[in-house]
Amino acid sequence: LRSGLPEVIYAAGKSTQQVLEIFRALAVSGVDVLATRVAAEAAAAILAEHPSAQHHELALTVSLRRSETARRGHIAVVCAGTSDLPVAEEAAVTAETFGAEVTRLYDVGVAGVHRLLAVREQLDAADVVIVCAGMEGALPSVVGGLVGVPVIAVPTSVGYGASFGGVTALLGMLNSCSPNVTVVNIDNGFGAAYTATMIARAGER
Amino acid sequence: LRSGLPEVIYAAGKSTQQVLEIFRALAVSGVDVLATRVAAEAAAAILAEHPSAQHHELALTVSLRRSETARRGHIAVVCAGTSDLPVAEEAAVTAETFGAEVTRLYDVGVAGVHRLLAVREQLDAADVVIVCAGMEGALPSVVGGLVGVPVIAVPTSVGYGASFGGVTALLGMLNSCSPNVTVVNIDNGFGAAYTATMIARAGER
Amino acid sequence: LRSGLPEVIYAAGKSTQQVLEIFRALAVSGVDVLATRVAAEAAAAILAEHPSAQHHELALTVSLRRSETARRGHIAVVCAGTSDLPVAEEAAVTAETFGAEVTRLYDVGVAGVHRLLAVREQLDAADVVIVCAGMEGALPSVVGGLVGVPVIAVPTSVGYGASFGGVTALLGMLNSCSPNVTVVNIDNGFGAAYTATMIARAGER
Amino acid sequence: LRSGLPEVIYAAGKSTQQVLEIFRALAVSGVDVLATRVAAEAAAAILAEHPSAQHHELALTVSLRRSETARRGHIAVVCAGTSDLPVAEEAAVTAETFGAEVTRLYDVGVAGVHRLLAVREQLDAADVVIVCAGMEGALPSVVGGLVGVPVIAVPTSVGYGASFGGVTALLGMLNSCSPNVTVVNIDNGFGAAYTATMIARAGER
Amino acid sequence: LRSGLPEVIYAAGKSTQQVLEIFRALAVSGVDVLATRVAAEAAAAILAEHPSAQHHELALTVSLRRSETARRGHIAVVCAGTSDLPVAEEAAVTAETFGAEVTRLYDVGVAGVHRLLAVREQLDAADVVIVCAGMEGALPSVVGGLVGVPVIAVPTSVGYGASFGGVTALLGMLNSCSPNVTVVNIDNGFGAAYTATMIARAGER
Amino acid sequence: LRSGLPEVIYAAGKSTQQVLEIFRALAVSGVDVLATRVAAEAAAAILAEHPSAQHHELALTVSLRRSETARRGHIAVVCAGTSDLPVAEEAAVTAETFGAEVTRLYDVGVAGVHRLLAVREQLDAADVVIVCAGMEGALPSVVGGLVGVPVIAVPTSVGYGASFGGVTALLGMLNSCSPNVTVVNIDNGFGAAYTATMIARAGER
Amino acid sequence: LRSGLPEVIYAAGKSTQQVLEIFRALAVSGVDVLATRVAAEAAAAILAEHPSAQHHELALTVSLRRSETARRGHIAVVCAGTSDLPVAEEAAVTAETFGAEVTRLYDVGVAGVHRLLAVREQLDAADVVIVCAGMEGALPSVVGGLVGVPVIAVPTSVGYGASFGGVTALLGMLNSCSPNVTVVNIDNGFGAAYTATMIARAGER
Amino acid sequence: LRSGLPEVIYAAGKSTQQVLEIFRALAVSGVDVLATRVAAEAAAAILAEHPSAQHHELALTVSLRRSETARRGHIAVVCAGTSDLPVAEEAAVTAETFGAEVTRLYDVGVAGVHRLLAVREQLDAADVVIVCAGMEGALPSVVGGLVGVPVIAVPTSVGYGASFGGVTALLGMLNSCSPNVTVVNIDNGFGAAYTATMIARAGER
Ligand SMILES: Nc1ncnc2c1ncn2[C@@H]1O[C@H](COP(=O)(O)O)[C@@H](O)[C@H]1O
Ligand SMILES: Nc1ncnc2c1ncn2[C@@H]1O[C@H](COP(=O)(O)O)[C@@H](O)[C@H]1O
Ligand SMILES: Nc1ncnc2c1ncn2[C@@H]1O[C@H](COP(=O)(O)O)[C@@H](O)[C@H]1O
Ligand SMILES: Nc1ncnc2c1ncn2[C@@H]1O[C@H](COP(=O)(O)O)[C@@H](O)[C@H]1O
Ligand SMILES: [Mg+2]
Ligand SMILES: [Mg+2]
Ligand SMILES: [Mg+2]
Ligand SMILES: [Mg+2]
Ligand SMILES: [Mg+2]
Ligand SMILES: [Mg+2]
Ligand SMILES: [Mg+2]
Ligand SMILES: [Mg+2]
């Protein structure tokens, strides 16, 4: 069922040597490859060996795509600003690597709802929306109330004090008063995008 | 966008009188109505007034559907047994009220994977799978590894001691090693089904 | 400095007899009296003895005001609906008993920002805004972004599962991205109103 | 409404280059600028480019004020000693940058109430009091009982063991028996001062 | 070493019959007996059988003392009011049953330090001070700063919301900035008094 | 009873010098020695002095066995992959040093139950199974349902976000629906193996 | 593999009717049956229908054994007193129903080690020891240091305040300094006994 | 009352320069001085200036005593081994600096009660016992059951996984079944000793 999808490497806690070897083995087999949480050194090593691979520094990903097939499904990735970008980009790059069309909406926050209303048209065009937010994690609820499609909420570990490394955002999202919101682990941009591409693809069938 | 969907009443913490009045107001307007977390007394009062409404005792729901339109999208609802049934049924009845075809798979657990493998065909037919589980909450991971569609995990407050009213199941599901798993609040069968019908309907387009 | 303010009785955990005796002692001394968290039986006993006292059933308060002085300062009390009403009313009645003008805005939520924008004028007229919210507790952030005055956030114990009796709302409010938000204890409508009247009165000086 | 107030940069987690660029863009537009949580290197870079900016080393702030307008409102900032100073100074400098008169009372603690009683006159002169405290976070309650104005409590991450990085102080403050106490996030001197200047300014109107 | 001390029965969770039997067995052996957490019914049963026993309703204790020996050591028991009385009385009655002289100071709180300063002489006369407090649990720190003897802090389960059944008070006491404060379990008036009598008796040697 | 067993050194938090001295003292006495959590430097120092000792780099152990006695009892050590290996190897090496026969099954996970079913024969041959798992910690439940012997579950600190350094895995294991599962502390491969060898040896009697 | 073992019903949260039906179905099939957490009413109903079944009131169990086979393996069940008895008895009755010889040692506690030393011989005779303890949960460590066999620790929900319904005992047991201690869920006497019989039987082979 | 006691500096989080200046100021005034949590560099700086001061490396203290007065009161300091030594030594050195006679019993643990019984005579000679323990924190309960004097329990941050930096030990101690146990903050050897000297001195009066 899932043939044709990229193989994924979670590089966190693996040595450069380990990441390189797994990447090589997958690349040789001809499939598309996506590595997430790749440190700078490991990324450099992969690119030296696979010049056609793409390194996204902010997303901490390296991806190797063999054929540019037509994109299927539209995903909007939403966040409030600078600090949430690494997680939002992990989601966006993953979704693109898995073949979806991605719209980035990176400057909308709950303390300024007018910016959110200003991008409503772009939100409405999406088959599914990924919302990344730290601190109080309130953005998915507001977005969820505006759109008629599933919202996948990604709590980020952004904040200090009683943000508890993303736990406050996570709890807020689980208690969302918008019923179209489901939630993934803190900072898990990859998982959100993986599920979002499944949903968006169905919407394109 | 969402026109045509049932209106929903969350009856928990409302008096019989309050529930009855809200139900009446919605029914009069001609839309389909779904009330969740309805106590026995309130359910009886609604049915006395709206004889065509349906009361699901286990799901604690009362639903009023005006026209039986063709069902769109297939949803499998999975759980391990007796104790999780109220949550699973809240999900199943909600999904049916919102127009989806529902397959109930209510006797599969992680401590007996063969029963799970025995229903694989039914799982494969679904556009999206809802998995309700208490205690260690491990079932969504195993189901997620078997299917190629989104899995919505619903932690239930079933268990004792260190199950902490569903928190252990919730945490387990958020840490699922299957990337197609997203999570809703403890016992939130309604929210899981709401999102699932959105996904399943897209799959039918 | 605080002379002229009502004396307050916190009736929770006190017997009808105890509440009655404290109320009587204060009333005799001629001051205004406010009792909060008053059970129905204790309220009836007070009213039997002090017919001019006022019982607010939803707010669980009984108040005895001797002279209707001109109201000083405007306070808006905001919440999303039925379940938060007891806390919102405890705040509103306290503020009125302490001499403030109160505007109740009780049907605005984060999942429907248009209702919030619709009451913007009333929000702008306030010297201080009290926002009561349960579940994800996101409303104070959105309100805080709309107004130029202090917002006092009151988490309510409304919700289930991972709302943890108001803790999720409390944490969300403490992490508000709106810098004009400060927070009080869960369900503490009284404390929010006490501080709000201090602020609003200053604004009227 | 809020025109005339400084623009604020939260520098934590931003690179020197990023902070410098945001600072420059705001400075060019002619507004007052306040940057908080500024590392030594970023502060040096800003001062090299904006010689009239002021760096407060303890507060970790850099501020650029264009015109010295008359100060409006009196704020007392209170803490118990050396360890709480960075948070207290973030509050004090923020309040000054936003145009308030600030009195620093930095050597008063709950284990020596006589020092607190000795500064009572200075406390009484304030329109609002900010109290920063770590460990058991008891100081706001004692101060709250002494003054007739709002107290904004800032828990600090000072302490060890069961102080849990400020959580114990935060919880203590939320449970304050003084009803004029509201609370902000751990170490959030900025937020406390932002709200305090709003309150103090109203008191001066 | 501990001969001559009363035997103690912890009656919580025991049936009237069980408590009565244990009490009888100890009484027969001639020792002094103290039963704590005794429900009304069990207390009545004991008194019917042992008319010379004393029932303290507020403290939930029943004690049987055979000989009134001279009291040794002075213990002050301090709390802020009505709600903490059951715990304070459990401590006071226990200390008296174990032979200490007890001074009750039951109307002093951190939000009104002057009442505390007013009883300073009585505090100074004690060999050890027991302080019971709920909510923010700040009282032991203030008392600890006033006296030159050990302070035993008893957190009480008084409060609501973020008081977490006494946990906030407990944490505050453990982080006391007064170094002469040690702490016992929530509501453990008995344990505080047991240790206090040991300390006070030594002071009398 | 336990004579003949190796003496164990827990090297974490000890200096190289301290570890070396304890190791030497035990080695001199003639017993077998096992040191766990040994840093690279300390391991090198031990091997320089005791050339016949064995260093397992992944397990962070150094062991010194004097006589190769026949192995008693079969233990299977199971985990899902790379990240859990250090804990699994601490368990495996400990079990071998204590004289058991160990089968390593290091590539089985809950998201791919077929790999687990593929090793069923090897699981069935064991007297006891040790299962190490991080994240959702679901593997022991699935294994427990497949085997008829005790399963000792070791939560590992592998994961991020809501895995809370192994707490989520720990809680999941404690709530296992397989009744033959008992649990040890996070990352405690040593303790699991210690108990497992006791059980396996009994099975061989 | 596990043929011959009793079938088990977990009756908590099931109606009398449900428990009775499941019990009947199993009894008819000829196997031994054990029902745990059986309320008084359900127990009476079962006994009315199955006069040869045995009801243990303290353990809350009903068991039906068909043939008295020779007992295999010795298990000691240890606890400190009255409050832990229901859990200890659930363990003891389960172990007996599964065919083990059980020694009850119900009056040993950490605050009186001499009573523990007095039963050392009985402890030494066991193939495995189950230790049930609430409050600080220290007993398994002390027992673990005395015996050379596996100790299964069962935290009980006995205690108040900071015992947190058994969590403190659970954590203490997981951190036991005796390496032969493994742990089950709070109050899970059944699970401890299930694993213990597996271990004890092996010891008898 | 407390005249004659050493002045104390808590050096954690202070710069070498700051510590040195405070130390100098106190030394000049002629009192005895104790500095705790002193880093190596700061200790060296103090000793260079005050050659008669004493540096205890393990305790991380520097103390300056002017006159060796006769010691009053006996304190036993008990712990289980290497890892708890820094906390135990902070307690022991503090007690000695405050004028008490200290007996160190540093090799007794709950998993080997015989070592504890072997030092019973030394325990019996103490006026008060300080017990430092990490992991399950069970030692104070066992010691408390053996002695007839107050036991002050100090949880240490020793352990890993579910020891949570000393929280498990802290909770265990608060739930001690020995009623003569009171507790201080995690790693707070200083506070334990401060209170212990007060108690011991009283015993000597
Ligand atoms: N609903 C409330 N929540 C928190 N504090 C309250 C509330 N109502 C009254 N109080 C406070 O409780 C004090 C009276 O407490 P008491 O003396 O126990 O009746 C008042 O002075 C208020 O500060
Ligand atoms: N120390 C601080 N703590 C919390 N929030 C702050 C702090 N300093 C600035 N802020 C907020 O951060 C906003 C700027 O964030 P940014 O756009 O990320 O630089 C300001 O408008 C303030 O509301
Ligand atoms: N990795 C480990 N985790 C937990 N406990 C261990 C570990 N390795 C050794 N131990 C225990 O630590 C004891 C030795 O501790 P120590 O005397 O501090 O070296 C041994 O007897 C073991 O019971
Ligand atoms: N190790 C310690 N842990 C907790 N409190 C301490 C410690 N050492 C000193 N103190 C307290 O800290 C106070 C001095 O704090 P400071 O003025 O910040 O140096 C002393 O009076 C002691 O009460
Ligand atoms: Mg939802
Ligand atoms: Mg996922
Ligand atoms: Mg704020
Ligand atoms: Mg307040
Ligand atoms: Mg202390
Ligand atoms: Mg189990
Ligand atoms: Mg163990
Ligand atoms: Mg105690």
Side-chain angles (χ1 to χ4, degrees), chain F residues 8-11 14 22 36-37 90 188 190-191, chain G residues 177 179, chain H residues 83 160:
Chain F
V8 185
I9 304 165
Y10 177 65
K14 302 207 171 86
I22 308 177
T36 68
R37 313 276 164 109
E90 184 181 282
N188 190 6
F190 166 75
Chain G
C177 54
Chain H
S83 324
Y160 64 88

Side-chain angles (χ1 to χ4, degrees), chain D residues 80-83 135 160, chain E residues 176-180, chain H residues 6-12 14 22 34-37 90 94 185-191 194:
Chain D
T82 315
S83 324
M135 300 175 73
Y160 64 88
Chain E
S176 177
C177 53
S178 294
N180 50 342
Chain H
E7 290 289 331
V8 184
I9 305 164
Y10 177 66
K14 301 207 171 85
I22 308 177
L34 170 68
T36 68
R37 313 275 165 112
E90 184 182 282
T94 296
N185 195 6
I186 298 164
D187 290 338
N188 190 5
F190 165 76
Y194 187 99

Side-chain angles (χ1 to χ4, degrees), chain H residues 67-130:
Chain H
S67 55
E68 201 56 47
T69 53
R71 298 196 173 274
R72 295 196 307 163
H74 290 77
I75 297 173
V77 179
V78 178
C79 76
T82 315
S83 324
D84 297 324
L85 282 187
V87 178
E89 276 297 299
E90 184 182 282
V93 171
T94 296
E96 288 172 340
T97 309
F98 276 75
E101 191 74 46
V102 173
T103 304
R104 288 161 169 86
L105 302 169
Y106 282 178
D107 191 35
V108 296
V110 289
V113 284
H114 289 294
R115 282 184 304 191
L116 193 56
L117 298 175
V119 297
R120 228 188 130 162
E121 217 156 286
Q122 283 136 295
L123 287 172
D124 284 345
D127 294 305
V128 51
V129 182
I130 294 172

Side-chain angles (χ1 to χ4, degrees), chain E residues 2, chain G residues 78-79 105-123 139 142-143 146, chain H residues 110 112-121 123-124 141-148 177-178:
Chain E
R2 277 169 294 181
Chain G
V78 178
C79 76
L105 302 168
Y106 283 178
D107 191 35
V108 295
V110 289
V113 284
H114 290 295
R115 283 183 304 192
L116 193 56
L117 298 176
V119 298
R120 226 183 132 166
E121 217 157 285
Q122 283 136 295
L123 287 171
L139 197 50
V142 182
V143 172
L146 292 177
Chain H
V110 289
V113 284
H114 289 294
R115 282 184 304 191
L116 193 56
L117 298 175
V119 297
R120 228 188 130 162
E121 217 156 286
L123 287 172
D124 284 345
S141 290
V142 183
V143 172
L146 293 176
V147 301
C177 52
S178 294

